[in-house]
Amino acid sequence: MDDNKIECRVCFRHCRLAEGETGACRTRKNTDGAIQSINYGMLTSLALDPIEKKPLAMFCPGSMILSAGSFGCNLHCPFCQNHEISYAGEADAEALNSKYISPEELVDTAYRLKSHGNIGLAFTYNEPLMSWEYVRDAARLSHEKGMKNVLVSNGTAELQVLEEILPFMDAMNIDLKAFDTDIYSKILGGDLEQTKSFIDTAVRHVHMEITTLIVPGLNDDDGQIEDAAEWIASLEHGRSIPYHLTRFFPRYHMTDRDATDVRRLFALKAIASKYLDNVYVGNV
Ligand code: SF4
């Protein structure tokens, strides 16, 4: 073992990084003997979106939310629907027109947009928790201004990171990308148990909605969705937790199959609805 390496404990990967080395997420780097976020405040996307687009169906319906994203992600989903930013790193920041926006500037912009129906900030598009310090700093200021904060995440950060941001969060939508340990670890480069722990903890503190992108031939079998819905129903708030089944479109490295058949989405909705009262079909 190389003693000069430092372990990053932001997500389940626990990358061990030598000086100057960047982790699997392309957003955290060993700089001068400490792991630092290299995309803090480096926004690639900023848009005022309807809250339903996050998707959140049962949190402040009809409102708008200023949505901010950077680059990088710790998972490697072959079907990523946002791969231009999720698979990008520091070297791509200029090409992506990435711009530094301080937490204060972001919150000021959000506050000015209240007159356009904005209720606060959503941290979304790439994986926000790889630079959780920015989420914490901006969300704290947003709360001080009386606004709300939303997190859209893959839920694979460590629970210590979740604890840092929970006091400043009001709602979350967490991806449950599959309900199969092997699919998570071998195809997505993720960790199902970490995601379940994240959701199980967060649902006790914030409004929680859960999303599964239904990819034909990967996670669209009856059994996986039934198991996922049954598990969601076992959490705090049980049957009332909103569950979104969204339509896949061929993207990135997964162009070998068609978009999800809409009839299949509704068949899976019927299965999930045996356990849950609020199941939504999206992207149709
Ligand atoms: S946050 Fe990035 S550097 Fe840290 S453990 Fe996860 S993938 Fe590795």
Side-chain angles (χ1 to χ4, degrees):
M1 188 173 286
D2 182 348
D3 286 336
N4 292 324
K5 291 189 174 182
I6 304 176
E7 184 175 274
C8 173
R9 300 189 65 86
V10 167
C11 85
F12 72 97
R13 285 186 179 278
H14 291 196
C15 297
R16 290 182 52 79
L17 305 175
E19 177 67 32
E21 197 177 358
T22 305
C25 57
R26 294 168 294 277
T27 68
R28 298 191 79 87
K29 187 176 187 177
N30 180 344
T31 308
D32 298 330
I35 305 288
Q36 296 183 12
S37 162
I38 55 177
N39 66 339
Y40 182 103
M42 295 299 292
L43 302 190
T44 59
S45 320
L46 189 62
L48 186 63
D49 285 340
I51 195 119
E52 287 78 8
K53 205 172 159 188
K54 298 305 95 192
L56 286 173
M58 298 181 71
F59 179 78
C60 302
S63 61
M64 306 292 285
I65 193 146
L66 183 63
S67 304
S70 182
F71 58 81
C73 182
N74 60 334
L75 301 192
H76 298 141
C77 307
F79 49 79
C80 183
Q81 310 279 295
N82 270 343
H83 65 92
E84 297 89 350
I85 56 172
S86 293
Y87 279 81
E90 195 174 19
D92 309 300
E94 200 177 321
L96 289 168
N97 291 322
S98 172
K99 181 173 178 251
Y100 177 73
I101 297 183
S102 70
E104 292 80 5
E105 211 179 335
L106 182 66
V107 170
D108 284 349
T109 303
Y111 196 77
R112 282 199 303 276
L113 288 168
K114 280 179 83 172
S115 57
H116 290 73
N118 184 37
I119 59 165
L121 291 173
F123 302 91
T124 178
Y125 301 134
N126 69 316
E127 173 46 51
L129 293 185
M130 300 304 95
S131 50
W132 65 271
E133 299 93 334
Y134 185 72
V135 174
R136 174 199 59 196
D137 295 348
R140 178 192 285 138
L141 290 174
S142 169
H143 262 190
E144 285 173 12
K145 290 261 195 181
M147 295 188 290
K148 298 193 184 304
N149 298 311
V150 164
L151 176 76
V152 182
S153 169
N154 63 33
T156 57
E158 288 286 351
L159 297 185
Q160 293 93 319
V161 169
L162 175 61
E163 279 168 24
E164 294 280 351
I165 59 144
L166 265 178
F168 313 111
M169 285 298 140
D170 300 288
M172 294 187 187
N173 188 304
I174 305 298
D175 280 337
L176 185 60
K177 291 175 181 283
F179 210 70
D180 180 291
T181 307
D182 281 352
I183 292 175
Y184 249 92
S185 60
K186 292 179 184 159
I187 300 180
L188 315 179
D191 186 323
L192 175 60
E193 290 309 314
Q194 181 72 32
T195 309
K196 287 167 70 180
S197 299
F198 189 102
I199 292 172
D200 185 22
T201 305
V203 77
R204 301 166 197 271
H205 301 276
V206 298
H207 172 85
M208 171 67 69
E209 303 197 13
I210 297 170
T211 296
T212 300
L213 179 77
I214 302 295
V215 182
L218 183 80
N219 61 358
D220 65 337
D221 55 285
D222 292 0
Q224 252 191 89
I225 297 304
E226 180 150 12
D227 290 349
E230 192 172 9
W231 176 74
I232 293 168
S234 73
L235 301 172
E236 192 159 312
H237 306 300
R239 291 188 64 92
S240 67
I241 298 171
Y243 186 33
H244 300 261
L245 303 173
T246 56
R247 192 179 190 204
F248 155 92
F249 290 95
R251 295 259 164 83
Y252 196 48
H253 290 317
M254 205 171 260
T255 53
D256 60 341
R257 60 202 80 193
D258 293 333
T260 321
D261 186 328
V262 174
R263 288 166 302 183
R264 185 77 194 123
L265 284 174
F266 280 98
L268 293 174
K269 176 182 174 178
I271 291 170
S273 298
K274 289 194 284 181
Y275 303 92
L276 300 168
D277 294 331
N278 302 297
V279 184
Y280 299 89
V281 163
N283 289 353
V284 293

